[in-house]
Amino acid sequence: MADGSLIPTVRTACPYCGVGCGVSGQVAEGRALAVRGDTAHPANNGLLCSKGAALGATVGLEGRLLSPMINGREAGWTEAVGLVARKFSQAIARHGPDSVAFYVSGQILTEDYYVANKLMKGFIGSGNIDTNSRLCMASAVVAHKKAFGADLVPGCYEDLDLADLVVFSGHNAAWTHPVLFRRMEAARARGQRHVVIDPRRTDTAEVADLHLAIKPQTDVRLWNGLLADLIRRGAVDRGYIAAHVNGFAQVEAALCEADQSPTAVAADCGIATADVEAFFALFAATPRTVSLFSMGANQSTQGVAKGLSIINAHLATGRIGKPGACPFSITGQPNAMGGRETGGMANTLAGHMDFAPEDRARVARFWGAPDTADKPGLKAVDMFEAIHDGRIKAVWVMATNPAVSLPDASRVREALDRCPFVVVSDCVETDTTAFADVKLPALAWGEKDGTVTNSERRISRQRALFPAPGLARPDWRIIADVAGAMGFGDGFAWPSQASVFREWARLTAFENSDRLLNLAGLLDLTRSDYAALEPVQWPVTEGGVGTPRLFADGRFQTSDHRAVMVPVRPVDPVSACDPAYPLSLNTGRIRDQWHTMTRTGLAPDLWRHAPEPYVDLHPEDAAAVGVVEGGLTRIQTARGEAVAIARLTDRQRPGGLFMPMHWTDAFAPSGRSNPLIAANLDPVSGQPEYKHTPARVRPYRETWKGFLLSRQGHAPPKGLDLVWRRIPQTACDLYEFAGRGDEAERDALRRALGEPAGELLSYGDPATGARREAWVDRNRLERVLFMTSGGPLPPRSWLADLFEAADLPVDARATLLFGRPLGPVVDAGPMVCACLKIGARTIDAAIAAGAATPDAVGAITGAGTNCGSCRPELARMITIAREPAHAV
Ligand SMILES: Nc1nc2c(c(=O)[nH]1)N[C@H]1C(S)=C(S)[C@@H](COP(=O)(O)OP(=O)(O)OC[C@H]3O[C@@H](n4cnc5c(=O)[nH]c(N)nc54)[C@H](O)[C@@H]3O)O[C@H]1N2
Ligand SMILES: Nc1nc2c(c(=O)[nH]1)N[C@H]1C(S)=C(S)[C@@H](COP(=O)(O)OP(=O)(O)OC[C@H]3O[C@@H](n4cnc5c(=O)[nH]c(N)nc54)[C@H](O)[C@@H]3O)O[C@H]1N2
Ligand code: SF4
Ligand SMILES: [Mo]
């Protein structure tokens, strides 16, 4: 019981990022959920970010998949499971085990992952199971394996508290790992320094001590330059290298192939020599350095090389396995790490064992599965290519939305469309379920029960808060049932997820003389031990004791126990740009949305910070082609086109574009980034280069535009070529749209929308092409539609707020078609603090009145005082207000 109340508290883990925060949930009644940060969880000590804090708004049942569906009709489990088993078995019988595939996700639990991998690799006998972590962690995994002998993350979050210097490589932690960033903010207050390597001036970079806004994809050049400089200064740790590291001489020799002077490095990276020198000096002088690396490093055709160049600098200085010192690849998804452990990747087998004959024999023996795969399967992008060309006849997608998130997404959709049999397990309808022959309803967060592993190898429990709705089932159970129906029942007959976990733990400990991934201390968990399991970091030794830091003894998991430095050479893909596509398109995340928005998209508050798809670009690049601030803009690449709102900013390097990855058909079909992304891969890791595609921009040049506010949901009207965006509000949906057609196009839209109930109020002005309509039913506002072919449109917020009223205020009715109340309009500006709904104008006013720190702004306005995710933005706004040169 919490707070003396009668409502029980369930301690669980957040389903979003790899920080892996503990969440305390209380269910009042039905599905009404209140969440707080779990003060006893070591990852977050009670903090949550905006996404975690909004979990309560995302657990409703509307839109949920609650029954298996076969070709669009509801079916029972027996029929659905039987069909999936039969289709997979038939494909295997006719075309062999490699004609089927699973594409899974870092958002299923370890138990789910273990069962999926055991079925595909152990019993179907194919390596064709890969995970969306291919798009995320694959390059870091390869770098770890090459350098340490296995996919081992050396450090822990405590290192981020203890470090004197944190280097962020391609990591916008302020937005993507906000709770960890707040921990580092606290360390900064104690003197920790931050260096950010990112072509964009992100919120992480804005508040850093040094921002290296490198030319895209020049990281290897920079880190090699750093290592050469450390050698020149005598700042490498010769004793550590002699005792624990191979390959130093080869790396040193490779460095000598290029001019490593700070001036040459700075020129190639497109930054000031003084900044390069400052970074090198700071790194050399700071033994307690943590180098975080994330998607700006991994999602590259040089992703492995980037990781290795970072690790090389740490091995050469002995900054690993020590408090406050390590290279730290941070994970994205809540269970990216769990997937890497259990074998979710096509090129590993299970439990950090690969396809070497003795490893394979050991896993096959453990599973009692003589047909266990003896070679790696297809990696994600190649898997979808094999679906496209017909080699794969049946695919099962679980907990991921590849029709949105894979590169070259139009080709992925084509592949799914051609595939003879597509199964999708999800909790809701998605752009991918649209291609499914069979949809299987999975339990969602708050209903599932099992374990996840976060970035610091910490295993936490996700626990159920609600009973299973409808016919939804846990993923592991669905897979085990299909395995049973395929005739593999004996190996899949677990009575509970606790018994799956025990088997998984036993596998890690099985004939284990040298594998660090070992859960020996968790082999004998009873069901109640499992229910009560406290967060613990692997390796877990016999007494159940965890291990925060690896390699403290300088022993690595290679055959001679020495780490390996690997020579890496930079490649410059950006300067070789096609003149038709002179810009470099970079993509990534926004603060308050999670990936394809199937869950965060349900929380209206999370829409306020970035309501529409946008493209950030430098004012010079915009001016060159006539793109204007706030204007609809076409972004074109050799693969496809999108339309987004232009945001002109000097936070973007000239030549660079940035688009968020999040929009889908459900929210903005033309705002999707991934039809634009070429599927260029790191040759070893197979990870796509989401951060660089040659591109160009052009104004969209709409002839008319408008917006609709409606209680009723609307799909984008078929047959009309509109730029269409849906933006959920508290009591209605806002739709923004624009077109390039004539009056007839507007009439067609008007017809497609149909008529709601109620009385129609309307106004038209042929001169400006303005058309304004409102429907009021029993004094409740049902719909508002505004269109214009030239004139301005009023702000939407006042109108959206009117939908929250049960009864339309009398004066509001009179002014509805003006789109604003009588008297002055208070526009709070773009929303900065999503929790307390504080807009930019309010914050600017507080800064103008003298607030000089995020705390001071918080004291006046309240902004940043709940989850704190907007604190970096407050700091940036203060900086900009102070330095007018910054502002654009
Ligand atoms: N709010 C939010 N948080 C999330 C997620 C989410 O969807 N929303 N997703 C989670 C997941 S799965 C992941 S993987 C993580 C990702 O977390 P991050 O890696 O922090 O996120 P991104 O925005 O993809 O990319 C990080 C940065 O890489 C920079 N970059 C681009 N090119 C280069 C380059 O050549 N060199 C360098 N050094 N940097 C470059 C980009 O400008 C961007 O700022 O976030 C996790 N957290
Ligand atoms: N342009 C661009 N594209 C990118 C990236 C980028 O930086 N730029 N980043 C890439 C990266 S790092 C990642 S991780 C991917 C993420 O891309 P996706 O994995 O495609 O994105 P999500 O929206 O997280 O998809 C998760 C799906 O699982 C469902 N789901 C949630 N919980 C469960 C569950 O318990 N069981 C089941 N069966 N389903 C569940 C959700 O409803 C959702 O549909 O995107 C990649 N794509
Ligand atoms: S930082 Fe936010 S999204 Fe990540 S685990 Fe914590 S609460 Fe969830
Ligand atoms: Mo990710």
Side-chain angles (χ1 to χ4, degrees), residues 197-447:
I197 304 170
D198 193 313
R200 297 192 300 147
R201 199 165 76 239
T202 60
D203 275 8
T204 312
E206 191 82 56
V207 294
D209 299 281
L210 181 63
H211 173 211
L212 302 176
I214 57 169
K215 198 168 98 182
Q217 307 307 326
T218 56
D219 302 65
V220 176
R221 181 76 172 113
L222 181 67
W223 282 90
N224 277 356
L226 168 69
L227 181 53
D229 184 79
L230 293 167
I231 296 171
R232 261 196 313 268
R233 285 173 199 262
V236 295
D237 186 339
R238 301 269 169 191
Y240 189 86
I241 295 169
H244 304 298
V245 183
N246 291 333
F248 178 79
Q250 289 88 323
V251 170
E252 191 176 21
L255 292 177
C256 292
E257 292 165 14
D259 178 356
Q260 302 290 357
S261 66
T263 322
V265 171
D268 285 349
C269 296
I271 50 179
T273 306
D275 287 348
V276 168
E277 285 169 340
F279 172 46
F280 290 178
L282 191 56
F283 195 99
T286 319
R288 286 194 167 201
T289 295
V290 174
S291 298
L292 285 161
F293 57 109
S294 188
M295 293 311 114
N298 297 347
Q299 290 176 338
S300 164
T301 48
Q302 309 167 65
V304 174
K306 288 189 188 185
L308 285 169
S309 68
I310 294 167
I311 292 171
N312 282 345
H314 277 263
L315 289 174
T317 48
R319 293 178 191 171
I320 186 164
K322 296 174 185 155
C326 60
F328 201 153
S329 153
I330 196 96
T331 57
Q333 298 174 93
N335 203 28
M337 187 73 88
R340 287 151 64 179
E341 295 159 10
T342 51
M345 293 212 163
N347 52 321
T348 79
L349 191 47
H352 283 188
M353 288 172 277
D354 289 347
F355 292 91
E358 64 282 7
D359 277 354
R360 183 204 165 259
R362 184 183 306 117
V363 176
R365 204 161 47 244
F366 179 83
W367 279 338
D371 294 335
T372 293
D374 56 9
K375 60 177 193 312
L378 293 170
K379 301 184 181 115
V381 171
D382 297 337
M383 180 186 281
F384 279 82
E385 216 28 63
I387 296 171
H388 198 276
D389 68 24
R391 274 172 291 154
I392 288 177
K393 321 279 180 198
V395 63
W396 187 352
V397 177
M398 301 176 204
T400 175
N401 197 354
V404 181
S405 56
L406 277 173
D408 204 355
S410 304
R411 189 167 173 87
V412 168
R413 288 172 187 228
E414 243 171 56
L416 286 168
D417 201 34
R418 289 173 172 202
C419 186
F421 190 62
V422 178
V423 184
V424 180
S425 298
D426 206 299
C427 322
V428 292
E429 299 283 354
T430 68
D431 285 19
T432 302
T433 58
F435 295 89
D437 298 286
V438 178
K439 294 183 258 196
L440 300 175
L443 290 187
W445 180 84
E447 297 150 10

Side-chain angles (χ1 to χ4, degrees), residues 14 16-17 19-21 48-49 51-52 178-179:
C14 177
Y16 300 124
C17 83
V19 176
C21 295
L48 292 178
C49 77
K51 297 179 297 300
V179 165

Side-chain angles (χ1 to χ4, degrees), residues 107 132 399-401 405 426 448 475 587 589 595-596 598 674:
Q107 293 170 72
N132 62 357
T400 175
N401 197 354
S405 56
D426 206 299
K448 341 188 38 161
D475 287 292
T587 60
R589 290 157 174 80
H595 297 161
T596 71
T598 62
N674 285 12

